[in-house]
Amino acid sequence: MSILAPAPPSAATASAPRTLPRRRGGEPASVLATLVLLLGAAYCLLPVLWVVVASTKSGGELFSTFTFAPSTHLLENVSDLNAYRDGLFWRWMANTALYAGVGALLSTVVSAMAGFGLAKYRFGGKKAIFNMLLAGVLVPGVVLAIPQYLLLAQIGMTNTYWAVLLPQIISPYGIYLARIYAAASVPDEIVEAGRTDGAGEGRIFRTLALPMMLPGLVTVFLFQFVAIWNNFMLPYIMLGDDKLYPLTVGLSGLLNQGASQPALYTLVITGALLSIIPLIALFLTLQRYWQVDLAAGAVKA
């Protein structure tokens, strides 16, 4: 009695690629998802397109021509904006860069230290502090603006740069993100190895934890930078001198004057266009840190 072995696969059979069965209904779902994404992109980009087109028009063309028909007055509008009150717009731009840059940097440092401490240290009341942070995430900043004004008014710090900077340093959402990222990216074994080698807690944080947390801290920095750059209510309440205004408050004042001087509308729109350029440049510059983080996560997986 002989046992017949199955014939070996032929070369053509062995070299033929294996194809997985196509899932029925996959294409309609993919098309629907693409349409939803396109609609979302159009919803977000349409106002930006309007600002770009409107900034190329003169004051008369702004209300008399088709909405999305561009014109040729962009450089003229930029020149008029530059000449407004001896370049006050650029003072607003510099103030905004100061508030957003310094405030976001300090907030990121505080968030990194607090998040690392909550993730890697054990101490009494740790859970209660973390729960308070979660509650702070749910509180809108507008609710805190008036109490912060009253507190700073007691020590004579309103209508100063510090009145806008100090309230922005503590970010509950930033601390929450830093805590989550520190717990996921900094292994306990690395921290214990540093302690075994005799490194202090400060050195462990600076030389070991910070490089591992860098992609997450870039995210914290960007979120806080954009939040401060676009903040209106806090500086509107805190500041009375227009030379200390950020762009949001300064352009709002120009818009209110436009009711009696319609020519200022073009200055407001041109200023709005110029105000988003630094944000776009910042995102394009820092996006590589997110790409590095995704690649590292794929290697670990």
Side-chain angles (χ1 to χ4, degrees):
M1 183 177 180
S2 62
I3 300 176
L4 298 177
S10 62
T13 306
S15 61
R18 296 180 61 187
T19 57
L20 297 176
R22 293 187 68 178
R23 186 177 179 181
R24 293 183 178 178
E27 286 189 6
S30 176
V31 172
L32 180 61
T34 302
L35 289 176
V36 172
L37 290 176
L38 290 175
L39 288 175
Y43 177 80
C44 295
L45 295 177
L46 198 61
V48 179
L49 177 61
W50 181 87
V51 170
V52 173
V53 173
S55 62
T56 65
K57 300 181 179 183
S58 64
E61 293 173 339
L62 189 62
F63 300 99
S64 60
T65 60
F66 177 65
T67 302
F68 292 104
S71 186
T72 59
H73 296 277
L74 177 61
L75 296 180
E76 180 183 342
N77 293 336
V78 174
S79 178
D80 292 341
L81 182 64
N82 185 55
Y84 176 75
R85 292 185 57 184
D86 298 326
L88 183 60
F89 171 82
W90 301 111
R91 179 68 178 265
W92 295 340
M93 179 76 81
N95 291 339
T96 307
L98 174 67
Y99 296 141
V102 176
L105 183 62
L106 293 177
S107 178
T108 302
V109 172
V110 172
S111 298
M113 293 189 293
F116 179 76
L118 288 172
K120 297 301 176 182
Y121 292 97
R122 297 180 181 179
F123 52 88
K126 174 181 174 179
K127 186 176 181 180
I129 293 175
F130 187 66
N131 290 335
M132 290 177 61
L133 282 173
L134 292 179
V137 172
L138 302 177
V139 178
V142 177
V143 177
L144 302 176
I146 297 298
Q148 289 169 346
Y149 172 80
L150 296 176
L151 289 173
L152 292 175
Q154 293 293 324
I155 56 177
M157 294 189 68
T158 55
N159 201 30
T160 64
Y161 287 108
W162 292 108
V164 180
L165 283 174
L166 289 178
Q168 309 282 0
I169 293 177
I170 304 297
S171 171
Y173 186 61
I175 296 175
Y176 170 75
L177 286 180
R179 188 263 181 193
I180 297 299
Y181 200 85
S185 64
V186 182
D188 294 335
E189 293 79 7
I190 297 293
V191 177
E192 293 299 331
R195 291 170 180 165
T196 303
D197 291 340
E201 300 299 326
R203 185 178 179 186
I204 291 174
F205 174 73
R206 291 193 308 272
T207 60
L208 298 178
L210 274 182
M212 296 179 180
M213 296 172 60
L214 184 60
L217 296 181
V218 170
T219 303
V220 174
F221 177 83
L222 283 175
F223 281 168
Q224 193 66 2
F225 188 95
V226 174
I228 299 175
W229 188 278
N230 294 328
N231 194 359
F232 171 80
M233 184 59 66
L234 180 67
Y236 180 76
I237 293 175
M238 293 290 185
L239 303 176
D241 185 357
D242 60 359
K243 293 183 179 180
L244 301 178
Y245 284 172
L247 286 169
T248 51
V249 181
L251 292 178
S252 174
L254 275 180
L255 184 63
N256 292 333
Q257 296 178 35
S260 57
Q261 305 178 51
L264 293 179
Y265 282 134
T266 57
L267 300 187
V268 175
I269 296 171
T270 307
L273 174 65
L274 296 178
S275 69
I276 65 176
I277 294 177
L279 294 178
I280 297 174
L282 183 67
F283 271 91
L284 294 178
T285 303
L286 297 181
Q287 68 175 349
R288 64 188 182 93
Y289 289 98
W290 289 334
Q291 295 173 354
V292 170
D293 183 39
L294 291 175
V299 171
K300 291 179 182 178

